[in-house]
Amino acid sequence: MFAFELAKQFRKSRSQQRFISFISMSSTVGIALGCFVLILLLSVMNGFEKELTSRVLSVIPHGELYSVDNRGIDNLEAQRYRLEQDNRIARITPYTKLTGMLQFKGELKAVELTGIIPSENTSQYKERVTDKQWAAFTAEPKGVLVGQGIAEKLQLSVGDPIKVLVPVTTNDLSFKAPKTVSLIVSGFLSIGGELDNLVGLMHLDTASNAAELQSRAQGLQFTFYDAYSANTIMREIGYSYPQAVYMSDWTRTQGHLYNDIQLVRAVVYIALILVIGVACFNIVSSLVMAVREKQAAIAILKTMGATDALIRSIFIFQGAINGVVGITVGVALALLVTPNLSSIVLFVENALGIEVLSGDIYFIDFLPSELQWQDVLITTFVALSLCIMATLYPAQKAAKISPSSSLH
């Protein structure tokens, strides 16, 4: 293509064009850096979202439905069977929750124990403990699995007898001594983050007896095929349920994690698109100076019959070449680094003796990364569009050059 060949000739550096070449190179580097960092950080956000789904949302229920009083769930099996006909629901688990203070050797720790039936739909919990510990928990009616953080704080070992002090509520709000529930540590539950310092599992019947429920379970836990639709589905189930119940979903308890990920994703996208935009302004500067430098050449081309469209095409191609080179380099670096980001960060942590993410605070202790091709395509499209838009003004300015005023 003639316009493209002329654009390549115009880009060739000469001694008097060193400054223009420097501005052009800086725009290319800026675009490459912007594309690289944008894809990298979007992949990190994708990684956090994936780990949130696979770790936290695989253990905590997506939704809960529980009785407003100590009656528990009426007609438990019939209601469970009815709700299981909904093809949006993957699993329904009866549960009873006890909140109290775990006591061991004079030490106290706040704990939230969930009573479950170990033999029913509990694979999400089983994956978080060893097979031996799960077998011990299943065999012992008074067995309990406590969070790893609780075990470390109280220095618990498998087989230790513990007590849970459960507050007793009264209708007249009078003070009563807490109820004591004796349990035996069967193992340790490892989920990640703050949950390890709070949660535990016990047998459903033991929990329901301690809570003095009239039925077998306090409520039902739901796992949906689409975790992000939990809020909508739980509202439908709760409003149509034939008994007075409270309803909740994971967005109320753990939703801040997801919201934080989405907020950071939006901030990163806006900030780095602006970085690419600033780099594109350098394309404008370099092309405007190139137009001034090439006025005589443009005038000669016009006297030879070159049209305004051809002149515009030359400078659009000249600027687009800078953009394409920058985008190609940035995307290539991102494709090379992103799949290995976790290993690179781990190497840096070991070399410098630092910890980027603490497992005591966050739900993971490593920097996750998941490359998604739509992020690469969107970044490439946006960057290329900005580059082309940056060439329009200089290209139009070049097309307006008059041969008579430039050749004298």
Side-chain angles (χ1 to χ4, degrees):
M1 191 175 185
F2 185 56
F4 183 72
E5 292 297 326
L6 287 175
K8 289 197 297 183
Q9 291 296 322
F10 280 11
R11 289 186 77 248
K12 288 184 178 179
S13 176
R14 297 176 183 173
S15 58
Q16 67 267 31
Q17 293 178 319
R18 287 177 181 173
F19 183 67
I20 298 176
S21 298
F22 172 76
I23 297 296
S24 178
M25 180 62 69
S26 67
S27 67
T28 302
V29 171
I31 292 169
L33 185 62
C35 291
F36 166 67
V37 176
L38 179 55
I39 294 173
L40 187 71
L41 293 184
L42 287 177
S43 298
V44 170
M45 294 302 104
N46 295 335
F48 273 111
E49 190 171 329
K50 178 184 177 182
E51 293 299 326
L52 173 66
T53 303
S54 62
R55 288 174 176 262
V56 178
L57 296 186
S58 66
V59 176
I60 68 168
H62 297 167
E64 291 181 339
L65 200 83
Y66 53 98
S67 173
V68 299
D69 50 34
N70 65 348
R71 286 169 51 196
I73 295 296
D74 296 335
N75 302 317
L76 176 64
E77 293 303 325
Q79 294 298 334
R80 185 179 175 186
Y81 176 79
R82 178 181 66 86
L83 292 170
E84 284 176 343
Q85 307 311 306
D86 191 329
N87 56 16
R88 297 172 298 179
I89 300 174
R91 180 172 55 235
I92 300 177
T93 307
Y95 81 99
T96 296
K97 190 168 290 185
L98 292 180
T99 302
M101 300 296 293
L102 191 153
Q103 183 183 44
F104 180 71
K105 293 183 178 180
E107 295 286 333
L108 292 173
K109 179 72 175 70
V111 66
E112 185 180 84
L113 297 176
T114 301
I116 62 169
I117 304 173
S119 59
E120 287 193 16
N121 297 327
T122 52
S123 59
Q124 73 274 26
Y125 300 121
K126 188 176 180 180
E127 294 171 355
R128 302 298 172 179
V129 298
T130 64
D131 293 339
K132 183 178 180 180
Q133 291 177 353
W134 184 260
F137 171 64
T138 303
E140 175 54 63
K142 291 189 176 295
V144 62
L145 298 172
V146 298
Q148 192 70 42
I150 299 174
E152 292 174 359
K153 179 176 176 58
L154 300 182
Q155 297 182 347
L156 294 172
S157 300
V158 173
D160 284 341
I162 61 172
K163 293 182 178 180
V164 179
L165 307 179
V166 182
V168 177
T169 58
T170 59
N171 294 330
D172 58 359
L173 302 180
S174 60
F175 177 80
K176 290 187 69 173
K179 186 171 184 177
T180 302
V181 182
S182 297
L183 301 170
I184 299 173
V185 177
S186 299
F188 310 114
L189 192 65
S190 180
I191 301 172
E194 299 175 357
L195 292 176
D196 280 350
N197 299 310
L198 178 64
V199 300
L201 297 176
M202 61 188 298
H203 285 252
L204 177 64
D205 292 337
T206 305
S208 297
N209 291 335
E212 299 179 351
L213 295 179
Q214 297 175 15
S215 66
R216 192 183 182 193
Q218 179 189 34
L220 297 171
Q221 293 180 340
F222 296 84
T223 300
F224 303 115
Y225 289 108
D226 180 11
Y228 299 102
S229 64
N231 185 270
T232 301
I233 300 176
M234 282 311 304
R235 286 177 178 271
E236 292 180 15
I237 295 173
Y239 289 147
S240 62
Y241 201 77
Q243 178 185 348
V245 291
Y246 294 118
M247 55 185 172
S248 179
D249 62 85
W250 72 270
T251 61
R252 296 170 61 89
T253 58
Q254 304 294 325
H256 62 282
L257 294 173
Y258 179 72
N259 293 334
D260 290 346
I261 291 171
Q262 300 308 312
L263 176 61
V264 173
R265 186 200 298 273
V267 172
V268 163
Y269 206 87
I270 293 172
L272 291 174
I273 287 298
L274 291 176
V275 169
I276 296 173
V278 170
C280 290
F281 273 108
N282 285 339
I283 293 180
V284 177
S285 303
S286 63
L287 286 182
V288 168
M289 289 186 286
V291 168
R292 288 185 128 188
E293 185 74 24
K294 300 292 186 181
Q295 283 190 50
I298 294 170
I300 293 172
L301 286 172
K302 282 198 167 186
T303 58
M304 295 174 63
T307 62
D308 289 349
L310 176 62
I311 301 299
R312 277 194 292 267
S313 299
I314 292 171
F315 287 93
I316 288 174
F317 278 127
Q318 187 174 345
I321 290 172
N322 291 341
V324 169
V325 171
I327 292 168
T328 302
V329 172
V331 170
L333 284 175
L335 295 178
L336 180 65
V337 173
T338 299
N340 304 302
L341 183 61
S342 298
S343 301
I344 294 172
V345 173
L346 181 61
F347 174 79
V348 173
E349 286 180 335
N350 294 333
L352 301 180
I354 60 175
E355 191 174 26
V356 176
L357 294 177
S358 172
D360 296 334
I361 301 174
Y362 304 99
F363 60 93
I364 53 176
D365 57 0
F366 63 95
L367 194 65
S369 176
E370 183 185 20
L371 182 66
Q372 293 185 359
W373 285 104
Q374 59 263 37
D375 292 333
V376 177
L377 294 176
I378 291 173
T379 300
T380 301
F381 175 76
V382 171
L384 188 59
S385 298
L386 290 174
C387 291
I388 292 175
M389 285 191 290
T391 65
L392 298 180
Y393 170 73
Q396 184 63 25
K397 189 176 179 68
K400 289 182 176 180
I401 290 177
S402 172
S404 59
S405 60
S406 299
L407 297 175
H408 46 70

